[in-house]
Amino acid sequence: MASQIVERTQEENGALVLFSGGQDSTVCLGWALSRYPRVETVGFDYGQRHGVELECRKRVRAEIGRRLPAWGGRLGPDHMIDITSFGAIGATALTSEAEIEMLSSGLPSTFVPGRNLVFFVYAAALGYRRGLSTLVGGMCETDYSGYPDCRDATLKALQEAIRLGTEIPFAIETPLMWRTKAETWSLAQELGGDDFVALIVEETHTCYRGERGIRHDWGYGCGTCPACELRAKGYAAWRASAVERKSAR
Ligand code: ZN
């Protein structure tokens, strides 16, 4: 399916990574930096409760330049887009003081309806201007598929809509779509080795509560919110499988 178009754009153009400063989008950034000669990042300020996420973005980018110079040379500008008016519409737990809980719909109260659709449309408009026709996002169906705007079918349809709506053969790439959280750690190791894993542990942010007080083996966070639990479980499973592989040798 349209693979010729995608290959051509990969050769000629770079990638724009939807980058939040979290674990998943940082692995996606590494994935893009290991494939494309030119990579830029875009972040969205939609009125997040925790500005800590926005701080992490800067540090992750700086640390990539310092610890992984081959990638650093490919890393272009960062773009920040203010979409606080959108955040105001989806006023839920991430953007207001409401408690984070599971709703009767089966979705967490942190869900902002259509958020990823909005991100990609903005990214496409920016990519159009920057000459970047591959858009990379860390959406994933494997561990948690409650967010309908993270699903593969949604993003395939969106890719088609963006292509039609811009007359540019944009490709939406989601390298984590079918990986578990443990497999995402293992991908990080494959892409950038121990340095990249250490960078992810130290500098990326996942916690819904925006806490960075306690350092766990998997990084900083409250340790009890759904995002921390997922990250901790994935890290433990990845470490366990790495130990198994070593002892099997
Ligand atoms: Zn947490």
Side-chain angles (χ1 to χ4, degrees):
M1 193 202 82
S3 60
Q4 275 179 328
I5 293 174
V6 173
E7 276 164 23
R8 185 174 59 78
T9 58
Q10 281 178 349
E11 276 167 20
E12 291 178 6
N13 290 311
L16 179 62
V17 179
L18 275 61
F19 180 57
S20 70
Q23 178 190 352
D24 289 347
S25 67
T26 299
V27 176
C28 285
L29 180 55
W31 180 88
L33 288 167
S34 64
R35 272 170 183 73
Y36 302 92
R38 189 162 65 94
V39 177
E40 299 184 10
T41 51
V42 59
F44 299 96
D45 182 356
Y46 52 96
Q48 289 97 321
R49 180 147 70 178
H50 33 85
V52 60
E53 204 176 88
L54 305 179
E55 265 312 298
C56 286
R57 300 179 78 253
K58 287 184 200 152
R59 283 209 305 274
V60 168
R61 284 178 44 94
E63 284 298 300
I64 283 178
R66 200 175 67 81
R67 300 193 200 198
L68 298 149
W71 286 359
R74 297 173 162 199
L75 184 56
D78 181 37
H79 310 271
M80 204 62 207
I81 300 178
D82 182 339
I83 54 165
T84 44
S85 59
F86 176 74
I89 297 169
T92 60
L94 273 188
T95 51
S96 72
E97 291 305 311
E99 265 306 297
I100 296 164
E101 58 188 4
M102 292 305 283
L103 303 174
S104 55
S105 59
L107 295 170
S109 58
T110 49
F111 177 64
V112 182
R115 192 176 64 178
N116 290 298
L117 305 181
V118 170
F119 287 176
F120 272 116
V121 169
Y122 272 90
L126 178 62
Y128 190 106
R129 290 285 176 218
R130 303 290 304 166
L132 303 164
S133 60
T134 298
L135 312 174
V136 185
M139 297 77 200
C140 169
E141 277 203 20
T142 309
D143 282 312
Y144 182 66
S145 58
Y147 295 88
D149 60 339
C150 288
R151 293 178 191 149
D152 193 50
T154 305
L155 297 178
K156 289 263 183 347
L158 183 62
Q159 172 179 274
E160 202 49 41
I162 288 173
R163 287 178 176 185
L164 290 169
T166 59
E167 294 193 324
I168 297 284
F170 276 104
I172 292 182
E173 295 284 356
T174 52
L176 309 185
M177 184 58 75
W178 309 112
R179 290 176 202 270
T180 63
K181 280 279 182 254
E183 287 165 346
T184 297
W185 283 107
S186 130
L187 176 64
Q189 172 90 53
E190 275 166 42
L191 290 168
D194 292 343
D195 281 344
F196 191 38
V197 170
L199 188 160
I200 290 169
V201 168
E202 284 304 319
E203 309 294 349
T204 68
H205 183 79
T206 305
C207 180
Y208 279 153
R209 296 198 174 96
E211 284 185 21
R212 280 188 75 75
I214 305 165
R215 164 69 155 78
H216 310 266
D217 53 353
W218 46 265
Y220 294 91
C222 73
T224 55
C225 76
C228 280
E229 279 182 3
L230 205 56
R231 176 163 166 156
K233 260 193 217 162
Y235 186 83
W238 171 61
R239 296 303 299 169
S241 69
V243 169
E244 259 173 42
R245 273 200 306 277
K246 259 189 192 155
S247 58
R249 266 179 218 155

